[in-house]
């Protein structure tokens, strides 16, 4: 019974990933409903495992050392940060909690059970997608913490309407939905048995519509890359044994032709997105604005390439660095909360050690997915591809739900890749 309770708690935890927006204080420490559920799940899992063997060394699966070293680089980022309170909050919410989720998956699930996690995540994806679509229709506007905030109201203007759901911006909506949707693909193994095919297709269309309505160019680019790679990875060869030789050649030829046309179409759409049409929304006012933030980030990195600037210090550092740049401070500083690039953000926040460990985590992920097949492999590859592609133009890790999705992807790949292997 306790084993079932463990699994149910973890599934609820995964479902609650995007609902960190429901916040509260516990003993004076800011927290949220997702973090609370992680803590409850860790306590139940630890109690169950410990009471079974009374031996921590053999009872728990700790996984690889790299996620924990990643936390250590963040801890160093706290030590050198100017604002220790903010840095400690980032350490807790964006490093310790996601790695705790990683630990929970390793200790509670086997490979054959992973579609349950995908289904739990998919349920939250559907809720967020419906939320965004209802926002597009005008039935939902802003939440309790979004109301009367100019940052949110600007997206609701008729001339520049962009959905953002329960999140802080349309880009954040797209950054969550794209990888979360692809991680949901293994849930098809469960849904096919209980849901009609037409209804199932409609369910998977909802998040695609939500990403489109967000008008996030980074999200659209990531989605385009994901769709093209998914089609290129798909093979019809396994179905050819049922047809004759001539028919098989025709099917293969048609398959390659479709993939070639889709690739060319992707290149064309990508070019139009980057040029601002037809998805027509400039980023931060103009693309030059983002370029200026990149320039300042690189200058900051040049001076702090070894240690970084500490967790959460970007806004204060860039404000000091641009004190004599009147135009930048007037028009761009409100948007310069982070470097708008995943790799710059990692290096600046965690230093050289952080970006190296992040690269090693990705390398181990690539080795794990080579051992996996089917929908799980496809979903994991596409999820990481969405994170890394969108990360070129946005910071797709430094947020509660995004960091959780990243380490959920790592955990799933490790469990699926090491079935019956001691981690």
């Amino acid at each position: 019974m306790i084993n079932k309770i463990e699994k149910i708690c973890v599934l609820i935890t995964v479902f609650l990933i995007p609902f960190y927006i429901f916040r509260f204080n516990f003993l004076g420490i800011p927290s949220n409903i997702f973090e609370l559920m992680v803590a409850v799940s860790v306590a139940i899992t630890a109690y169950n495992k410990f009471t079974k063997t009374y031996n921590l060394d053999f009872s728990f699966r700790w996984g690889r050392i790299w996620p924990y070293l990643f936390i250590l680089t963040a801890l160093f980022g706290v030590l050198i940060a100017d604002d220790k309170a903010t840095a400690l909050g980032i350490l807790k919410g964006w490093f310790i909690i996601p790695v705790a989720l990683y630990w929970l998956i390793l200790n509670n699930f086997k490979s054959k059970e992973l579609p349950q996690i995908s289904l739990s995540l998919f349920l939250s994806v559907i809720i967020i997608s419906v939320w965004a679509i209802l926002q597009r229709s005008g039935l939902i506007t802003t939440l309790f913490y979004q109301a009367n905030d100019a940052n949110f109201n600007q997206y609701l203007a008729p001339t520049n309407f962009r959905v953002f759901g329960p999140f802080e911006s349309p880009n954040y909506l797209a950054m969550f939905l794209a990888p979360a949707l692809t991680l949901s693909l293994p849930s098809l193994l469960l849904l096919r048995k209980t849901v009609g095919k037409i209804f199932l297709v409609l369910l998977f269309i909802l998040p695609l519509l939500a990403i489109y309505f967000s008008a996030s160019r980074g999200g659209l680019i990531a989605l385009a890359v994901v769709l093209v790679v998914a089609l290129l990875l798909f093979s019809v060869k396994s179905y050819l044994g049922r047809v004759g030789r001539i028919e098989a050649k025709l099917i293969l030829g048609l398959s390659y032709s479709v993939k070639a046309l889709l690739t060319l179409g992707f290149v064309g759409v990508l070019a139009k997105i980057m040029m601002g049409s037809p998805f027509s929304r400039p980023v931060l006012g103009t693309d030059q604005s983002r370029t200026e933030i990149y320039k300042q980030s690189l200058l900051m990195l040049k001076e702090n390439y070894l240690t970084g600037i500490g967790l959460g210090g970007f806004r204060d550092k860039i404000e000091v660095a641009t004190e004599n740049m009147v135009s930048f401070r007037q028009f761009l500083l409100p948007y310069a909360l982070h470097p708008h690039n995943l790799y710059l953000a990692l290096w600046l926040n965690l230093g050289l050690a952080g970006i190296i460990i992040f690269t090693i985590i990705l390398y181990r992920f690539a080795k794990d997915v080579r051992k996996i097949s089917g929908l799980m492999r496809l979903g994991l590859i596409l999820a990481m591809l969405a994170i890394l592609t969108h990360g070129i133009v946005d910071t797709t890790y430094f947020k509660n739900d995004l960091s959780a999705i990243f380490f959920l992807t790592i955990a799933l790949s490790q469990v699926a890749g090491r079935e019956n292997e001691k981690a």
Side-chain angles (χ1 to χ4, degrees):
M1 184 65 182
I2 190 69
N3 289 333
K4 289 184 179 179
I5 293 174
E6 282 182 55
K7 285 182 169 59
I8 290 171
C9 284
V10 176
L11 292 174
I12 293 172
T13 301
V14 171
F15 170 78
L16 290 174
I17 285 175
F19 298 106
Y20 68 92
I21 56 172
F22 296 105
R23 301 179 174 95
F24 55 85
N25 285 337
F26 179 73
L27 300 178
I29 301 173
S31 189
N32 56 68
I33 190 171
F34 168 61
E35 292 181 356
L36 174 64
M37 202 63 212
V38 169
V40 169
S41 298
V42 167
I44 293 174
T45 298
Y47 173 79
N48 185 32
K49 295 287 191 280
F50 185 71
T51 53
K52 276 183 178 179
T53 65
Y54 299 97
N55 190 328
L56 292 177
D57 292 332
F58 297 97
S59 178
F60 296 131
R61 285 186 179 273
W62 293 100
R64 298 194 175 97
I65 193 172
W66 306 111
Y68 306 103
L69 291 180
F70 200 54
I71 292 178
L72 284 181
T73 64
L75 181 59
F76 178 77
V78 173
L79 295 177
I80 67 172
D82 295 330
D83 185 348
K84 294 292 191 294
T86 298
L88 284 170
I90 292 173
L91 174 68
K92 171 178 67 76
W94 302 349
F95 291 90
I96 294 175
I97 292 297
V99 173
L101 179 62
Y102 162 85
W103 182 86
L104 285 168
I105 301 299
L106 294 185
N107 281 278
N108 286 291
F109 289 87
K110 296 180 179 179
S111 182
K112 63 181 180 181
E113 299 170 322
L114 295 183
Q116 298 174 20
I117 297 175
S118 294
L119 180 58
S120 182
L121 182 63
F122 187 53
L123 292 176
S124 65
V125 166
I126 293 302
I127 291 173
I128 298 299
S129 300
V130 170
W131 194 323
I133 291 169
L134 290 177
Q135 197 173 59
R136 182 68 181 87
S137 67
L139 295 177
I140 294 178
T141 54
T142 53
L143 289 172
F144 51 92
Y145 75 96
Q146 299 169 329
N148 302 317
D149 189 325
N151 291 326
F152 294 105
N153 292 332
Q154 65 175 321
Y155 300 123
L156 301 178
T159 56
N160 187 40
F161 197 100
R162 302 174 63 189
V163 300
F164 46 86
F167 301 122
E168 290 87 342
S169 76
N171 290 331
Y172 280 137
L173 174 66
M175 280 189 268
F176 168 76
L177 284 179
L181 173 62
T182 54
L183 276 186
S184 301
L185 288 176
S187 66
L188 285 169
L189 299 172
L190 301 174
L191 290 171
R192 282 172 179 167
K193 301 175 183 179
T194 56
V195 180
K197 291 181 179 179
I198 295 177
F199 184 64
L200 192 56
V201 170
L202 290 175
L203 284 179
F204 273 85
I205 287 176
L206 292 176
L208 299 179
L209 283 174
I211 293 173
Y212 179 79
F213 290 147
S214 75
S216 166
R217 283 197 286 173
L220 290 166
I221 291 169
L223 184 60
V225 170
V226 161
L227 292 175
V228 169
V229 171
L231 289 164
L232 292 175
L233 289 175
F234 177 76
S235 174
V236 298
K237 290 182 180 179
S238 58
Y239 300 96
L240 298 183
R242 303 175 186 176
V243 299
R245 187 174 179 180
I246 296 176
E247 290 89 341
K249 289 183 177 180
L250 289 172
I251 292 172
L252 275 175
L254 179 62
S255 172
Y256 292 141
S257 299
V258 169
K259 290 177 180 181
L261 288 172
L262 284 169
T263 303
L264 290 173
F266 161 70
V267 172
V269 170
L270 183 61
K272 289 181 178 179
I273 293 174
M274 296 305 294
M275 292 167 60
S277 171
F279 300 101
S280 78
R281 272 160 185 110
V283 183
L284 303 184
T286 67
D287 289 333
Q288 288 73 23
S289 304
R290 188 172 293 245
T291 302
E292 287 300 318
I293 293 175
Y294 290 159
K295 287 180 181 178
Q296 295 301 319
S297 300
L298 288 169
L299 288 173
M300 212 180 294
L301 183 61
K302 185 178 178 181
E303 296 176 359
N304 304 275
Y305 70 93
L306 187 60
T307 63
I309 60 174
L311 289 184
F314 183 81
R315 174 57 188 267
D316 291 338
K317 297 289 185 184
I318 201 169
E319 189 170 4
V320 171
T322 59
E323 59 183 350
N324 296 322
M325 301 171 63
V326 177
S327 180
F328 187 99
R329 294 176 68 86
Q330 182 177 356
F331 298 106
L332 303 184
L333 193 58
Y335 300 103
L337 302 176
H338 52 84
H340 293 276
N341 177 278
L342 171 63
Y343 313 101
L344 284 173
L346 284 166
W347 202 330
L348 284 168
N349 279 273
L350 305 177
L352 183 59
I355 195 71
I356 290 173
I357 291 172
F358 182 78
T359 303
I360 293 172
I361 291 172
L362 293 180
Y363 170 73
R364 297 301 308 182
F365 168 81
K367 291 196 72 173
D368 283 333
V369 294
R370 292 180 64 183
K371 306 172 188 175
I372 308 167
S373 60
L375 283 173
M376 180 58 68
R377 183 184 187 211
L378 181 63
L380 289 168
I381 290 173
L382 298 181
M384 190 59 72
L385 190 62
I387 292 169
L388 299 180
T389 301
H390 198 159
I392 296 171
V393 293
D394 252 316
T395 310
T396 51
Y397 178 88
F398 288 85
K399 194 163 158 283
N400 302 69
D401 55 324
L402 303 182
S403 54
I405 289 292
F406 176 80
F407 273 106
L408 177 62
T409 306
I410 298 299
L412 294 178
S413 68
Q414 192 168 323
V415 172
R418 62 96 172 122
E419 185 68 289
N420 298 320
E421 223 176 83
K422 188 173 182 180

